[in-house]
Amino acid sequence: MNDRIGTTRDGSVDRVSSFVIRGARILGGEPADILIRDGLLVEIGQGLTGGETVEAEGLIALPGLVDLHTHLREPGREDAETVGTGTRAAALGGYTAVHAMANTEPVADTAGVVEQVWRLGQEAGHCDVRPVGAVTVGLGGERLAELGAMADSAARVRVFSDDGKCVSDAVLMRRALEYVKAFDGVVAQHAQEPRLTAGAQMNEGAVSGRLGLTGWPAVAEEAIIARDCLLAAHVGSRLHICHVSTAGSVEIIRWAKSKGWDVTAEVTPHHLLLTDDLVEDSPVGSYNPIYKVNPPLRTRADVEALREALADGTIDCVATDHAPHPVEDKETEWAAAAMGMIGLETALAVVQEAMVDTGLLDWAGVAERMSLAPARIGRLQGHGRPIEAGAPANITLYDPSVRAAVDPAGYASKSRNTPYEGLTLPGRVVATFLRGRPTVLDGKLT
Ligand SMILES: [Zn+2]
Protein backbone atom coordinates (compact mmCIF):
# COMPACT_ATOMS: atom_id res chain seq x y z
CA MET A 1 0.00 0.00 0.00
CA ASN A 2 1.23 3.43 -0.93
CA ASP A 3 1.44 5.51 2.17
CA ARG A 4 2.74 8.84 0.92
CA ILE A 5 0.70 12.03 0.85
CA GLY A 6 2.08 14.84 -1.28
CA THR A 7 1.50 16.70 -4.46
CA THR A 8 2.77 14.72 -7.41
CA ARG A 9 3.91 16.18 -10.73
CA ASP A 10 0.45 15.93 -12.24
CA GLY A 11 -1.00 17.80 -9.25
CA SER A 12 -2.83 14.87 -7.76
CA VAL A 13 -2.37 14.10 -4.10
CA ASP A 14 -1.12 10.80 -2.84
CA ARG A 15 0.13 9.60 0.53
CA VAL A 16 3.35 10.51 2.26
CA SER A 17 3.96 9.93 5.92
CA SER A 18 7.14 12.01 6.32
CA PHE A 19 7.72 15.72 5.73
CA VAL A 20 10.53 18.13 6.40
CA ILE A 21 9.25 21.67 6.88
CA ARG A 22 12.34 23.66 5.95
CA GLY A 23 13.30 26.98 7.51
CA ALA A 24 10.10 27.80 9.39
CA ARG A 25 10.22 30.40 12.17
CA ILE A 26 8.62 28.54 15.08
CA LEU A 27 6.51 31.11 16.99
CA GLY A 28 8.42 33.77 15.05
CA GLY A 29 11.85 32.61 16.26
CA GLU A 30 14.97 31.69 14.28
CA PRO A 31 14.50 29.50 11.17
CA ALA A 32 14.54 25.75 11.84
CA ASP A 33 13.58 22.51 10.14
CA ILE A 34 10.73 20.39 11.47
CA LEU A 35 10.69 16.65 10.74
CA ILE A 36 7.26 15.02 10.78
CA ARG A 37 6.79 11.27 10.63
CA ASP A 38 3.75 9.07 11.20
CA GLY A 39 1.70 11.92 12.55
CA LEU A 40 4.23 13.12 15.09
CA LEU A 41 6.79 15.89 15.34
CA VAL A 42 9.97 13.83 15.41
CA GLU A 43 12.76 16.36 15.44
CA ILE A 44 13.42 20.10 15.27
CA GLY A 45 16.83 21.27 14.11
CA GLN A 46 18.98 22.30 11.18
CA GLY A 47 19.61 20.44 7.93
CA LEU A 48 17.07 17.70 8.64
CA THR A 49 16.24 15.16 5.95
CA GLY A 50 13.93 12.19 5.65
CA GLY A 51 10.74 13.22 3.95
CA GLU A 52 8.99 15.32 1.37
CA THR A 53 10.27 18.90 1.65
CA VAL A 54 7.92 21.80 2.34
CA GLU A 55 9.79 25.09 1.83
CA ALA A 56 8.84 27.44 4.66
CA GLU A 57 11.39 30.23 4.45
CA GLY A 58 9.90 33.37 6.01
CA LEU A 59 6.84 31.53 7.29
CA ILE A 60 5.74 31.47 10.93
CA ALA A 61 5.02 28.00 12.35
CA LEU A 62 2.23 27.90 14.91
CA PRO A 63 0.59 24.96 16.63
CA GLY A 64 -2.60 24.08 14.71
CA LEU A 65 -5.28 26.59 15.67
CA VAL A 66 -8.22 25.51 17.85
CA ASP A 67 -11.59 27.26 17.77
CA LEU A 68 -13.84 27.09 20.80
CA HIS A 69 -16.82 28.58 19.01
CA THR A 70 -17.81 27.55 15.47
CA HIS A 71 -21.29 27.24 14.00
CA LEU A 72 -21.21 24.43 11.44
CA ARG A 73 -25.02 24.48 11.01
CA GLU A 74 -25.32 20.74 10.31
CA PRO A 75 -27.73 19.09 10.97
CA GLY A 76 -30.58 21.28 9.81
CA ARG A 77 -29.22 24.34 8.06
CA GLU A 78 -27.08 22.79 5.37
CA ASP A 79 -28.03 25.73 3.14
CA ALA A 80 -25.79 27.91 5.36
CA GLU A 81 -22.92 25.50 6.07
CA THR A 82 -22.17 21.80 6.42
CA VAL A 83 -19.61 20.02 8.53
CA GLY A 84 -17.75 19.45 5.25
CA THR A 85 -17.70 23.07 4.05
CA GLY A 86 -17.17 24.52 7.51
CA THR A 87 -14.20 22.31 8.26
CA ARG A 88 -12.68 23.10 4.87
CA ALA A 89 -12.95 26.77 5.82
CA ALA A 90 -11.36 25.93 9.16
CA ALA A 91 -8.39 24.15 7.58
CA LEU A 92 -7.86 27.08 5.18
CA GLY A 93 -7.87 29.37 8.22
CA GLY A 94 -5.13 27.31 9.88
CA TYR A 95 -7.39 25.39 12.27
CA THR A 96 -6.85 21.73 13.17
CA ALA A 97 -9.79 21.52 15.58
CA VAL A 98 -13.09 23.31 16.04
CA HIS A 99 -15.83 23.12 18.65
CA ALA A 100 -19.18 22.90 16.85
CA MET A 101 -21.91 24.89 18.58
CA ALA A 102 -25.10 23.15 19.64
CA ASN A 103 -27.76 25.40 18.07
CA THR A 104 -28.40 23.07 15.13
CA GLU A 105 -31.76 21.62 14.05
CA PRO A 106 -32.25 19.32 15.91
CA VAL A 107 -30.34 20.89 18.77
CA ALA A 108 -27.25 18.98 19.90
CA ASP A 109 -28.76 18.12 23.27
CA THR A 110 -28.46 14.31 23.22
CA ALA A 111 -25.68 11.76 22.83
CA GLY A 112 -27.19 10.82 19.45
CA VAL A 113 -26.88 14.28 17.90
CA VAL A 114 -23.40 15.04 19.24
CA GLU A 115 -22.16 11.66 17.99
CA GLN A 116 -23.65 12.42 14.57
CA VAL A 117 -21.77 15.74 14.37
CA TRP A 118 -18.56 14.14 15.64
CA ARG A 119 -18.84 11.36 13.06
CA LEU A 120 -19.50 13.82 10.21
CA GLY A 121 -16.30 15.61 11.24
CA GLN A 122 -14.32 12.41 11.16
CA GLU A 123 -15.66 11.54 7.73
CA ALA A 124 -14.87 15.00 6.34
CA GLY A 125 -11.33 14.76 7.72
CA HIS A 126 -10.30 18.41 7.26
CA CYS A 127 -10.01 19.14 10.97
CA ASP A 128 -11.15 17.57 14.21
CA VAL A 129 -14.70 18.44 15.21
CA ARG A 130 -15.55 18.43 18.90
CA PRO A 131 -19.28 19.01 19.40
CA VAL A 132 -20.51 21.40 22.07
CA GLY A 133 -23.52 20.04 23.94
CA ALA A 134 -26.56 22.16 24.74
CA VAL A 135 -27.05 23.06 28.41
CA THR A 136 -30.84 22.87 28.24
CA VAL A 137 -33.22 20.70 26.23
CA GLY A 138 -33.83 22.30 22.84
CA LEU A 139 -32.04 25.47 24.06
CA GLY A 140 -35.35 26.08 25.79
CA GLY A 141 -33.84 27.33 29.04
CA GLU A 142 -36.19 25.19 31.15
CA ARG A 143 -34.72 21.73 31.71
CA LEU A 144 -31.12 20.51 31.77
CA ALA A 145 -30.12 18.41 28.76
CA GLU A 146 -28.45 14.99 29.13
CA LEU A 147 -25.06 16.48 29.96
CA GLY A 148 -23.63 13.26 31.39
CA ALA A 149 -24.72 11.15 28.42
CA MET A 150 -23.09 13.62 26.01
CA ALA A 151 -19.90 13.62 28.09
CA ASP A 152 -19.81 9.80 28.06
CA SER A 153 -20.61 9.53 24.34
CA ALA A 154 -18.07 8.87 21.59
CA ALA A 155 -17.97 12.65 21.06
CA ARG A 156 -16.61 13.12 24.63
CA VAL A 157 -18.30 16.49 25.06
CA ARG A 158 -16.65 18.77 27.61
CA VAL A 159 -18.01 22.20 26.60
CA PHE A 160 -21.70 22.89 27.14
CA SER A 161 -23.45 25.97 25.81
CA ASP A 162 -26.86 27.24 24.77
CA ASP A 163 -24.99 29.75 22.60
CA GLY A 164 -27.30 32.00 20.68
CA LYS A 165 -29.38 31.99 23.84
CA CYS A 166 -28.41 32.84 27.38
CA VAL A 167 -29.00 30.42 30.24
CA SER A 168 -30.78 33.22 32.02
CA ASP A 169 -32.40 31.19 34.84
CA ALA A 170 -29.96 31.43 37.73
CA VAL A 171 -31.09 28.14 39.28
CA LEU A 172 -30.60 26.21 36.03
CA MET A 173 -27.21 27.84 35.52
CA ARG A 174 -26.19 26.85 39.02
CA ARG A 175 -27.29 23.25 38.40
CA ALA A 176 -25.41 23.08 35.10
CA LEU A 177 -22.24 24.38 36.74
CA GLU A 178 -22.59 21.78 39.49
CA TYR A 179 -23.34 18.95 37.06
CA VAL A 180 -20.34 19.44 34.72
CA LYS A 181 -17.88 19.15 37.61
CA ALA A 182 -18.37 15.36 37.54
CA PHE A 183 -16.57 15.08 34.19
CA ASP A 184 -14.39 18.20 34.26
CA GLY A 185 -16.69 19.99 31.84
CA VAL A 186 -17.25 23.70 31.42
CA VAL A 187 -20.35 25.79 30.84
CA ALA A 188 -19.80 28.39 28.11
CA GLN A 189 -22.27 31.18 28.67
CA HIS A 190 -23.71 33.43 25.97
CA ALA A 191 -24.14 36.39 28.31
CA GLN A 192 -27.24 38.26 27.25
CA GLU A 193 -29.90 39.21 29.77
CA PRO A 194 -33.01 38.58 27.66
CA ARG A 195 -35.33 41.20 29.14
CA LEU A 196 -32.74 43.96 28.76
CA THR A 197 -32.21 43.05 25.10
CA ALA A 198 -35.77 42.45 23.92
CA GLY A 199 -35.87 43.68 20.32
CA ALA A 200 -32.30 44.98 20.53
CA GLN A 201 -30.68 45.69 17.17
CA MET A 202 -27.26 47.20 17.84
CA ASN A 203 -25.04 48.56 20.61
CA GLU A 204 -26.92 51.05 22.79
CA GLY A 205 -25.15 54.37 22.44
CA ALA A 206 -24.82 57.50 20.37
CA VAL A 207 -25.03 55.68 17.04
CA SER A 208 -28.16 53.66 17.91
CA GLY A 209 -29.74 56.91 19.08
CA ARG A 210 -28.99 58.67 15.79
CA LEU A 211 -30.14 55.71 13.68
CA GLY A 212 -33.28 55.05 15.72
CA LEU A 213 -32.41 51.36 16.25
CA THR A 214 -33.28 49.67 19.54
CA GLY A 215 -30.19 49.65 21.74
CA TRP A 216 -28.42 46.61 23.19
CA PRO A 217 -26.95 47.87 26.45
CA ALA A 218 -23.55 46.75 27.72
CA VAL A 219 -25.15 46.06 31.10
CA ALA A 220 -27.18 43.21 29.58
CA GLU A 221 -23.91 41.33 29.03
CA GLU A 222 -22.13 42.52 32.15
CA ALA A 223 -24.94 41.64 34.57
CA ILE A 224 -24.97 38.00 33.44
CA ILE A 225 -21.18 37.73 33.54
CA ALA A 226 -21.09 39.11 37.08
CA ARG A 227 -23.86 36.77 38.22
CA ASP A 228 -22.24 33.71 36.62
CA CYS A 229 -18.78 34.45 38.02
CA LEU A 230 -20.38 34.54 41.47
CA LEU A 231 -22.30 31.33 40.81
CA ALA A 232 -19.22 29.50 39.50
CA ALA A 233 -17.27 30.57 42.58
CA HIS A 234 -20.13 29.56 44.87
CA VAL A 235 -20.26 25.98 43.53
CA GLY A 236 -16.54 25.71 42.72
CA SER A 237 -17.01 25.02 39.04
CA ARG A 238 -15.52 26.15 35.73
CA LEU A 239 -17.17 28.94 33.75
CA HIS A 240 -16.28 30.16 30.27
CA ILE A 241 -17.65 33.41 28.88
CA CYS A 242 -18.37 33.47 25.15
CA HIS A 243 -17.56 36.47 22.92
CA VAL A 244 -16.88 39.19 25.50
CA SER A 245 -17.68 42.54 23.90
CA THR A 246 -17.56 45.36 26.44
CA ALA A 247 -14.98 47.14 28.57
CA GLY A 248 -17.17 46.58 31.61
CA SER A 249 -17.18 42.81 31.03
CA VAL A 250 -13.39 42.89 30.98
CA GLU A 251 -13.34 44.62 34.39
CA ILE A 252 -15.66 42.00 35.90
CA ILE A 253 -13.61 39.08 34.52
CA ARG A 254 -10.40 40.71 35.74
CA TRP A 255 -11.93 40.97 39.20
CA ALA A 256 -13.15 37.33 39.14
CA LYS A 257 -9.71 36.12 38.12
CA SER A 258 -8.09 38.19 40.85
CA LYS A 259 -10.16 36.17 43.34
CA GLY A 260 -8.68 32.96 41.91
CA TRP A 261 -11.98 31.78 40.43
CA ASP A 262 -11.93 29.35 37.53
CA VAL A 263 -13.30 31.72 34.93
CA THR A 264 -12.08 31.93 31.32
CA ALA A 265 -13.18 34.12 28.45
CA GLU A 266 -12.97 34.49 24.69
CA VAL A 267 -13.15 37.42 22.28
CA THR A 268 -13.97 37.26 18.58
CA PRO A 269 -11.75 38.70 15.85
CA HIS A 270 -14.53 41.08 14.78
CA HIS A 271 -14.87 42.55 18.27
CA LEU A 272 -11.12 43.22 18.19
CA LEU A 273 -11.35 45.24 14.98
CA LEU A 274 -14.80 46.61 14.14
CA THR A 275 -16.96 49.25 15.87
CA ASP A 276 -20.63 50.18 15.95
CA ASP A 277 -20.21 53.33 13.87
CA LEU A 278 -19.88 51.05 10.81
CA VAL A 279 -23.64 50.62 11.06
CA GLU A 280 -24.01 54.34 10.36
CA ASP A 281 -21.21 54.82 7.87
CA SER A 282 -19.11 52.15 6.19
CA PRO A 283 -17.57 51.22 2.83
CA VAL A 284 -20.79 49.28 2.15
CA GLY A 285 -23.18 52.07 3.13
CA SER A 286 -25.31 52.58 6.22
CA TYR A 287 -27.68 50.09 7.84
CA ASN A 288 -25.83 47.22 6.13
CA PRO A 289 -26.78 44.02 8.01
CA ILE A 290 -23.34 42.57 7.29
CA TYR A 291 -22.46 44.33 10.58
CA LYS A 292 -25.38 42.85 12.50
CA VAL A 293 -24.01 40.40 15.03
CA ASN A 294 -24.68 39.03 18.51
CA PRO A 295 -23.24 40.47 20.72
CA PRO A 296 -23.22 43.70 18.72
CA LEU A 297 -20.17 45.61 17.57
CA ARG A 298 -19.35 48.08 20.32
CA THR A 299 -17.37 51.34 20.59
CA ARG A 300 -13.72 52.17 19.96
CA ALA A 301 -13.17 52.30 23.75
CA ASP A 302 -14.54 48.77 24.08
CA VAL A 303 -12.28 47.54 21.26
CA GLU A 304 -9.26 49.07 23.01
CA ALA A 305 -10.21 47.41 26.32
CA LEU A 306 -10.71 44.01 24.62
CA ARG A 307 -7.31 44.22 22.92
CA GLU A 308 -5.63 45.12 26.18
CA ALA A 309 -7.44 42.30 27.99
CA LEU A 310 -6.41 39.74 25.38
CA ALA A 311 -2.83 40.96 25.62
CA ASP A 312 -2.67 40.78 29.43
CA GLY A 313 -4.47 37.42 29.66
CA THR A 314 -7.70 38.66 31.23
CA ILE A 315 -9.32 37.30 28.09
CA ASP A 316 -7.80 33.86 27.52
CA CYS A 317 -8.41 33.20 23.87
CA VAL A 318 -9.73 34.21 20.48
CA ALA A 319 -12.79 32.32 19.23
CA THR A 320 -14.29 32.99 15.83
CA ASP A 321 -18.05 32.68 16.45
CA HIS A 322 -18.06 31.74 12.74
CA ALA A 323 -21.78 32.18 12.01
CA PRO A 324 -22.65 31.44 8.40
CA HIS A 325 -25.97 32.63 6.98
CA PRO A 326 -27.34 32.32 3.44
CA VAL A 327 -27.66 35.49 1.37
CA GLU A 328 -31.44 35.73 1.78
CA ASP A 329 -31.08 35.85 5.57
CA LYS A 330 -28.47 38.64 5.51
CA GLU A 331 -29.25 40.78 2.47
CA THR A 332 -32.52 42.12 3.75
CA GLU A 333 -33.57 45.09 5.85
CA TRP A 334 -31.62 45.57 9.08
CA ALA A 335 -34.38 44.61 11.51
CA ALA A 336 -35.17 41.35 9.70
CA ALA A 337 -31.60 40.25 9.00
CA ALA A 338 -29.96 37.34 10.82
CA MET A 339 -27.20 38.08 13.32
CA GLY A 340 -23.71 36.76 12.68
CA MET A 341 -20.56 36.81 10.57
CA ILE A 342 -18.31 34.16 9.11
CA GLY A 343 -14.77 34.24 10.45
CA LEU A 344 -12.75 31.03 10.16
CA GLU A 345 -10.86 32.04 7.02
CA THR A 346 -9.94 35.53 8.27
CA ALA A 347 -9.34 35.00 12.01
CA LEU A 348 -5.56 34.85 11.96
CA ALA A 349 -5.34 37.83 9.59
CA VAL A 350 -7.57 39.94 11.83
CA VAL A 351 -5.60 38.95 14.92
CA GLN A 352 -2.38 39.93 13.15
CA GLU A 353 -3.92 43.27 12.20
CA ALA A 354 -5.41 44.02 15.64
CA MET A 355 -2.83 42.45 17.97
CA VAL A 356 0.49 41.64 16.29
CA ASP A 357 0.99 44.58 13.94
CA THR A 358 -0.02 46.89 16.81
CA GLY A 359 2.72 45.41 19.04
CA LEU A 360 0.27 44.02 21.60
CA LEU A 361 1.08 40.32 21.03
CA ASP A 362 4.00 38.36 19.62
CA TRP A 363 3.55 35.06 17.76
CA ALA A 364 4.05 33.03 20.94
CA GLY A 365 1.17 35.04 22.38
CA VAL A 366 -0.96 34.30 19.33
CA ALA A 367 -0.19 30.57 19.68
CA GLU A 368 -1.26 30.65 23.33
CA ARG A 369 -4.52 32.46 22.58
CA MET A 370 -5.53 30.68 19.37
CA SER A 371 -4.30 27.14 20.09
CA LEU A 372 -3.02 26.30 23.58
CA ALA A 373 -5.65 28.11 25.66
CA PRO A 374 -8.72 27.01 23.68
CA ALA A 375 -7.55 23.38 23.70
CA ARG A 376 -6.97 23.62 27.45
CA ILE A 377 -10.37 25.18 28.14
CA GLY A 378 -12.09 22.55 25.98
CA ARG A 379 -10.00 19.71 27.53
CA LEU A 380 -9.17 18.70 23.97
CA GLN A 381 -6.46 16.05 23.84
CA GLY A 382 -3.80 16.12 21.14
CA HIS A 383 -4.25 19.78 20.21
CA GLY A 384 -2.80 23.00 21.56
CA ARG A 385 0.59 21.45 22.26
CA PRO A 386 3.86 23.38 21.90
CA ILE A 387 5.81 22.64 18.72
CA GLU A 388 8.32 20.18 20.14
CA ALA A 389 9.46 16.62 19.50
CA GLY A 390 6.92 14.01 20.54
CA ALA A 391 3.84 16.18 20.03
CA PRO A 392 1.17 15.36 17.45
CA ALA A 393 2.08 17.11 14.19
CA ASN A 394 -0.66 19.74 14.19
CA ILE A 395 0.98 22.77 12.60
CA THR A 396 -0.02 25.92 10.77
CA LEU A 397 2.41 27.71 8.45
CA TYR A 398 1.60 31.40 8.02
CA ASP A 399 3.06 34.15 5.88
CA PRO A 400 2.64 37.46 7.75
CA SER A 401 4.42 39.54 5.09
CA VAL A 402 1.71 39.74 2.45
CA ARG A 403 -1.33 42.02 2.39
CA ALA A 404 -4.35 41.66 0.15
CA ALA A 405 -7.94 42.73 -0.34
CA VAL A 406 -10.42 40.35 1.26
CA ASP A 407 -12.28 38.46 -1.46
CA PRO A 408 -14.85 35.97 -0.18
CA ALA A 409 -15.46 34.62 -3.69
CA GLY A 410 -12.88 31.92 -3.13
CA TYR A 411 -13.92 30.96 0.41
CA ALA A 412 -14.65 27.34 1.24
CA SER A 413 -17.48 28.36 3.57
CA LYS A 414 -20.89 27.97 1.99
CA SER A 415 -21.84 31.46 3.17
CA ARG A 416 -20.41 34.86 2.24
CA ASN A 417 -21.39 37.05 5.21
CA THR A 418 -17.94 38.46 5.93
CA PRO A 419 -17.70 42.01 7.28
CA TYR A 420 -14.18 42.40 5.83
CA GLU A 421 -15.03 42.43 2.13
CA GLY A 422 -13.35 45.40 0.52
CA LEU A 423 -10.83 45.78 3.34
CA THR A 424 -7.21 44.76 3.02
CA LEU A 425 -5.85 42.42 5.66
CA PRO A 426 -2.39 41.02 6.28
CA GLY A 427 -1.19 37.45 6.10
CA ARG A 428 -1.94 34.18 4.42
CA VAL A 429 -2.23 30.63 5.76
CA VAL A 430 0.13 28.64 3.54
CA ALA A 431 -0.20 25.16 5.02
CA THR A 432 -2.05 23.27 7.73
CA PHE A 433 -1.01 19.84 9.00
CA LEU A 434 -3.43 17.64 10.92
CA ARG A 435 -1.54 14.82 12.68
CA GLY A 436 1.17 14.98 10.05
CA ARG A 437 -1.21 15.03 7.10
CA PRO A 438 -1.45 18.27 5.11
CA THR A 439 -5.03 19.49 4.87
CA VAL A 440 -3.83 22.69 3.18
CA LEU A 441 -0.69 23.17 1.06
CA ASP A 442 0.26 26.30 -0.87
CA GLY A 443 -2.86 27.99 0.48
CA LYS A 444 -5.14 25.37 -1.08
CA LEU A 445 -7.02 22.38 0.25
CA THR A 446 -5.21 19.13 -0.53
ZN1 LIG B 1 -23.24 33.57 21.20
Side-chain angles (χ1 to χ4, degrees), residues 289 292-293 325-326 328-330 332-340 417:
K292 187 173 177 183
V293 65
H325 290 291
E328 59 272 24
D329 291 355
K330 275 309 256 192
T332 176
E333 62 174 308
W334 181 278
M339 289 184 274
N417 52 309

Side-chain angles (χ1 to χ4, degrees), residues 69 71 163-165 190 242-243 294-295 321:
H69 193 144
H71 296 277
D163 182 62
K165 293 194 174 158
H190 171 113
C242 296
H243 41 53
N294 179 350
D321 196 5

Side-chain angles (χ1 to χ4, degrees), residues 96-163:
T96 53
V98 298
H99 288 74
M101 273 299 170
N103 61 339
T104 48
E105 300 167 18
V107 171
D109 58 2
T110 63
V113 179
V114 294
E115 285 189 349
Q116 179 193 356
V117 172
W118 174 74
R119 211 164 276 124
L120 286 168
Q122 288 219 312
E123 284 163 17
H126 307 291
C127 77
D128 286 351
V129 174
R130 162 67 88 68
V132 173
V135 176
T136 67
V137 174
L139 309 179
E142 291 183 348
R143 266 186 314 129
L144 280 191
E146 301 166 4
L147 310 185
M150 290 188 273
D152 289 343
S153 75
R156 298 182 53 76
V157 174
R158 289 296 177 275
V159 182
F160 296 87
S161 183
D162 274 3
D163 182 62

